[in-house]
Amino acid sequence: MEIYDHPTFRMACRQFDLVADRLEIPHNERARLKFPKRSMTIAVPIRCDDGETQVFAGYRVQHHLTLGPTKGGLRYHPDVTLGEVAALAMWMSWKCALTGLPYGGAKGGVACEPRNLSLGELERLTRRYTQEMIPFIGEKVDVMAPDMGTNEQTMAWIMDTYSVHAGYAVPGIVTGKPVSIGGSLGRRESTGRGVGYLINRAMDTIGLHASQSRAVIQGFGNVGSVAAFSLAKYGVKVVGVGDAMGGLYNAKGIDLWELEKHAAAARSVVGFPGAEPISNDQLLALPCEILVPAALERQITDVNAPKIQCRILAEAANGPTTPDADVILDRRAEIFVIPDILCNAGGVVVSYFEWVQDLQSFFWTETEVTDKLFRILESAFTQTLTLSRKQKVSMRMAALTLGIKRVQEAKRIRGLFP
Ligand code: NAD
């Protein structure tokens, strides 16, 4: 389908095709599994603070509707396109199936640079985007969550706009919202905390000790910063951190508390006095035991894959590794990859918990949330590792196989209408 053509969508399709070939999925089932069920492209006009009107392109893609409502984040980033959103929606489908959640995948986005918009402009953009999407979303239809460039406040505006339309509060329309309006304890930390948990499991698996391990993290937003603190709790030393503006390195370890304060004030890690500045390319090639891409897609490529120097590649971001880089990583047996659909699944798992709590109006403690989160991640990790070892395939191939197979089975048993 040409409308989705984009390097990230081609990458998601290539991954799917590799699994489909291995599973010998008949060709007449492939297109049904691969291409999104619905996609919306909208114009989002807002009045800017200077009185001018600006129109932004907004998207929402619902990948499949077979197992329940669709679920997925909303991204604000200048590079957002329909094809990128479609790829992210497809990965959400496999991720939800891998972790056994009753959802299809979805993703949304607005092509904008949120750093250049005032709070008022961001609110108007979010409310107008939501208004345009109202015919296509609902707590039993499609449920949004934060992603790159969006946060709890964004979710609160969406929930409010939708609730005003409905005439009553509908907390289940989004997850990742503030606890005071029906959010779940532990949701904000869930993705990064899950990343930390899975890295710890991977360290056990390959015999690394946390206290002797160094981590490098690309991205210091919601996921990257929580993953950094989580790793530090396990005893890992964080030696490198980077964001969109640049990177930092300190072989003795970076003081994360001080860095967090600096990043909050400067809106970037760059300029932090407790480490030396480095480029993003240098960051990814730093010697370390654990490398955590927690920013954008397509960061580990065939160019830098031979240069990375880690033992564990923990894909906190969605799609950080290209299929060409995968070929190289497959040959580098010393690197244990925790693939994205497993590594960052903590976010959607706790989103699911939040949704369940909202539908029941019955809320859990943070300990219950974290305990249930770790059980689901443990099960998904073990199933993936077992399949990877049994069939001698990469962890990515194993995780995708589990996810794709479950969606395929569900589609088969439900049949094709009419
Ligand atoms: P965020 O907006 O909070 O943070 C993104 C970080 O990436 C920022 O530090 C930003 O400066 C950095 N970044 C952006 N462009 C960069 C570049 N070119 N080079 C280096 N760094 C760059 O976003 P987030 O919510 O932390 O999401 C990060 C990744 O995790 C995304 O791939 C997202 O899809 C994925 N993810 C997020 C969640 C979640 O719950 N938020 C869940 C699952 C997956």
Side-chain angles (χ1 to χ4, degrees):
M1 288 200 185
E2 278 172 23
I3 52 165
Y4 300 118
D5 193 37
H6 181 273
T8 308
F9 189 69
R10 285 200 291 275
M11 172 177 153
C13 288
R14 208 169 132 196
Q15 289 177 347
F16 171 85
D17 289 336
L18 285 171
V19 176
D21 288 345
R22 268 198 73 247
L23 293 176
E24 296 179 349
I25 295 178
H27 280 277
N28 58 8
E29 282 184 43
R30 290 191 189 198
R32 226 185 132 201
L33 273 166
K34 185 159 52 172
F35 294 114
K37 182 72 187 165
R38 296 180 185 145
S39 56
M40 280 69 71
T41 299
I42 56 172
V44 191
I46 64 157
R47 200 162 290 118
C48 298
D49 292 349
D50 62 6
E52 292 293 314
T53 300
Q54 218 181 321
V55 181
F56 296 90
Y59 308 96
R60 186 80 187 159
V61 174
Q62 298 166 355
H63 182 250
H64 81 81
L65 314 176
T66 309
L67 286 164
T70 48
K71 185 86 193 75
L74 174 66
R75 175 174 290 194
Y76 289 175
H77 191 275
D79 297 340
V80 163
T81 64
L82 182 64
E84 181 193 61
V85 171
L88 291 163
M90 200 196 299
W91 285 323
M92 278 302 290
S93 288
W94 316 142
K95 189 186 305 179
C96 292
L98 171 66
T99 44
L101 307 183
Y103 293 134
K107 207 77 178 190
V110 176
C112 66
E113 176 48 90
R115 292 168 62 94
N116 296 344
L117 297 173
S118 70
L119 199 63
E121 289 168 336
L122 280 172
E123 177 171 357
R124 294 194 286 283
L125 179 74
T126 304
R127 288 186 182 279
R128 187 62 192 250
Y129 173 87
T130 309
Q131 173 62 41
E132 302 292 347
M133 285 296 168
I134 279 176
F136 312 106
I137 58 175
E139 58 180 0
K140 300 276 175 67
V141 183
D142 182 16
V143 180
M144 298 191 201
D147 191 78
M148 198 150 49
T150 59
N151 55 26
E152 288 189 350
Q153 178 61 74
T154 324
M155 296 304 115
W157 289 326
I158 296 176
M159 184 256 185
D160 183 68
T161 307
Y162 191 86
S163 300
V164 167
H165 171 82
Y168 52 91
V170 189
I173 187 64
V174 285
T175 58
K177 58 193 168 293
V179 172
S180 57
I181 55 169
S184 176
L185 293 168
R187 170 60 184 93
R188 190 190 311 149
E189 300 81 5
S190 58
T191 311
R193 210 173 254 170
V195 170
Y197 178 85
L198 291 165
I199 291 173
N200 198 39
R201 285 293 285 111
M203 285 194 289
D204 278 351
T205 306
I206 63 169
L208 277 181
H209 294 287
S211 59
Q212 288 155 16
S213 299
R214 298 157 297 171
V216 169
I217 302 176
Q218 184 201 43
F220 200 66
N222 173 296
V223 179
S225 64
V226 177
F229 279 103
S230 173
L231 285 173
K233 254 194 185 164
Y234 286 111
V236 173
K237 190 157 66 175
V238 177
V239 295
V241 170
D243 66 15
M245 317 303 280
L248 300 172
Y249 177 60
N250 183 341
K252 295 197 180 116
I254 294 172
D255 182 334
L256 295 173
W257 293 103
E258 288 302 315
L259 179 63
E260 191 179 43
K261 276 191 236 158
H262 170 88
R267 297 177 76 192
S268 171
V269 298
V270 170
F272 178 60
E276 58 182 89
I278 54 170
S279 70
N280 192 36
D281 287 347
Q282 288 170 316
L283 182 86
L284 294 175
L286 283 174
C288 61
E289 282 66 44
I290 302 155
L291 179 60
V292 188
L296 290 174
E297 304 91 64
R298 293 182 288 119
Q299 297 300 297
I300 314 289
T301 63
D302 52 341
V303 175
N304 60 12
K307 297 183 203 148
I308 64 173
Q309 303 190 54
C310 61
R311 295 289 318 284
I312 295 171
L313 176 63
E315 297 182 342
N318 287 303
T321 307
T322 66
D324 288 338
D326 262 340
V327 174
I328 295 164
L329 294 178
D330 282 350
R331 285 200 297 262
R332 295 190 61 186
E334 77 280 12
I335 299 180
F336 185 96
V337 178
I338 311 174
D340 52 359
I341 64 165
L342 171 64
C343 192
N344 66 38
V348 71
V349 170
V350 178
S351 273
Y352 166 62
F353 296 161
E354 180 174 331
W355 181 71
V356 168
Q357 292 172 74
D358 287 337
L359 293 184
Q360 300 186 340
S361 299
F362 179 62
F363 291 90
W364 312 346
T365 64
E366 188 162 351
T367 311
E368 280 176 276
V369 168
T370 309
D371 185 47
K372 287 183 169 73
L373 165 67
F374 288 172
R375 279 170 203 241
I376 290 184
L377 293 181
E378 178 61 39
S379 164
F381 181 86
T382 309
Q383 288 177 54
T384 306
L385 185 65
T386 306
L387 188 71
S388 153
R389 286 182 169 168
K390 201 166 137 201
Q391 302 198 349
K392 296 194 174 32
V393 293
S394 68
M395 285 288 282
R396 183 181 326 286
M397 182 61 95
L400 286 169
T401 299
L402 289 165
I404 291 171
K405 226 173 163 179
R406 282 175 193 158
V407 179
Q408 183 202 12
E409 276 164 18
K411 281 197 184 288
R412 261 202 193 157
I413 200 84
R414 279 190 56 166
L416 178 60
F417 178 85

